[in-house]
């Protein structure tokens, strides 16, 4: 007799590019900052090859590729520039609130697992009207930052840390990611992983491709 499928109890979302439409702005800030260093980099290159990673690694790779030393104050400058762009132009991913509301109605736990710091997650989600889905006064907060535990995607340990903190098993969760880096982390954690494909990229082997966030509701 076939074993019944494990019931899905939680959906774990990446933040940038998955819930909030921030990847263009994040990489625009990178482009502008490197222009200040006298280096011109196309947005397409940044979006396709550098999104979803650890900020210090991204700067190190770009500085190495363009033969400059990484400035000591790079992160402070970048975060300030990005905050200005977010305040002016950040929007939620299309359909994000409706998808989260339907998942909540299905009594699924919702969490965010991001390579970004807590301050960035909280600001962007609040700015886009989504923070309340992950921070309930009657429950532990469900925002997991790589900076809090020093575990960064594509290391699956960040997702495993979040799943353990939620009191769940990998088989009880699904993950939604928009970057190959995040998808790699989800799959390596042994979790069913959806790839929200904004840029018509090849879908990583083992992931389930969705073209828009609302497709998740029928794919679960």
């Amino acid at each position: 007799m076939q074993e019944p499928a494990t019931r899905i109890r939680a959906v774990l979302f990446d933040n940038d590019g998955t819930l909030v439409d921030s990847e263009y702005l994040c990489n625009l800030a990178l482009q502008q900052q490197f222009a200040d260093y006298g280096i011109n980099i196309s947005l397409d290159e940044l979006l396709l090859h550098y999104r979803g990673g650890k900020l210090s690694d991204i700067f190190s790779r770009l500085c190495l590729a363009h033969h400059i030393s990484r400035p000591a104050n790079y992160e402070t400058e970048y975060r300030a520039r990005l905050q200005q762009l977010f305040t002016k132009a950040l929007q939620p991913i299309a359909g994000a609130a409706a998808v989260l509301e339907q998942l909540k109605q299905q009594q699924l736990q919702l969490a965010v697992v991001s390579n970004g710091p807590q301050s960035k997650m909280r600001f962007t989600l609040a700015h886009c009207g989504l923070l309340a889905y992950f921070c309930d006064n009657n429950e532990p907060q469900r925002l997991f930052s790589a900076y809090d535990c020093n575990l960064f995607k594509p290391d699956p340990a960040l997702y495993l840390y979040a799943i353990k903190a939620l009191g769940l098993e990998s088989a009880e969760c699904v993950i939604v990611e928009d970057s190959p880096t995040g998808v790699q982390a989800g799959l390596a954690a042994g979790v069913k992983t959806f790839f929200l494909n904004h840029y018509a990229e090849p879908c990583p082997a083992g992931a389930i491709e969705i073209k828009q966030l609302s497709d998740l509701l029928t794919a679960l």
Side-chain angles (χ1 to χ4, degrees):
M1 183 175 178
Q2 186 174 6
E3 291 290 330
T6 302
R7 176 176 175 267
I8 297 301
R9 298 176 59 193
V11 183
L12 282 58
F13 294 90
D14 176 51
N15 189 41
D16 293 299
T18 301
L19 292 173
V20 300
D21 198 3
S22 54
E23 286 291 5
Y24 173 84
L25 298 175
C26 290
N27 287 283
L28 178 61
L30 276 177
Q31 183 189 49
Q32 291 175 351
Q33 193 152 334
F34 274 85
D36 289 347
Y37 304 153
I39 296 166
N40 295 316
I41 310 173
S42 76
L43 268 174
D44 285 345
E45 176 187 350
L46 291 170
L47 284 164
L48 289 176
H49 299 297
Y50 293 92
R51 76 183 193 280
K54 181 180 179 181
L55 183 64
S56 61
D57 291 346
I58 291 169
F59 266 85
S60 293
R61 289 170 59 198
L62 286 169
C63 288
L64 181 64
H66 295 279
H67 311 292
I68 65 170
S69 298
R70 193 175 73 180
N73 61 342
Y74 76 94
E75 184 168 2
T76 301
E77 291 181 353
Y78 175 79
R79 298 289 184 200
R81 187 189 303 271
L82 188 57
Q83 185 74 15
Q84 292 180 344
L85 291 172
F86 281 170
T87 301
K88 181 179 180 180
L90 183 64
Q91 298 290 328
I93 289 291
V99 169
L100 293 173
E101 185 61 34
Q102 288 203 42
L103 295 174
K104 180 181 176 182
Q105 294 301 319
Q106 295 174 28
Q107 299 185 323
L108 293 170
Q109 291 192 59
L110 305 175
V112 182
V113 183
S114 174
N115 268 355
Q118 281 278 348
S119 57
K120 179 185 177 186
M121 277 195 289
R122 288 178 177 275
F123 176 83
T124 56
L125 289 166
H127 184 82
C128 293
L130 305 176
L131 184 61
Y133 289 102
F134 307 99
C135 293
D136 189 307
N137 290 333
N138 299 317
E139 299 178 2
Q141 64 90 10
R142 286 163 278 124
L143 300 176
F144 298 95
S145 166
Y147 285 82
D148 293 341
C149 52
N150 198 32
L151 302 169
F152 288 81
K153 306 171 194 174
D155 189 340
L158 178 58
Y159 272 118
L160 295 173
Y161 171 86
I163 290 166
K164 182 178 180 180
L166 293 169
L168 300 172
E169 301 292 334
S170 294
E172 297 176 302
C173 303
V174 298
I175 287 169
V176 188
E177 281 278 357
D178 74 298
S179 72
T181 297
V183 169
Q184 180 182 341
L187 293 174
V191 181
K192 184 177 182 180
T193 301
F194 292 90
F195 175 47
L196 180 57
N197 193 351
H198 296 299
Y199 302 103
E201 297 172 274
C203 182
I208 301 167
E209 182 180 40
I210 55 175
K211 297 294 182 63
Q212 53 192 9
L213 197 57
S214 59
D215 292 342
L216 179 67
L217 297 173
T218 54
L220 282 176

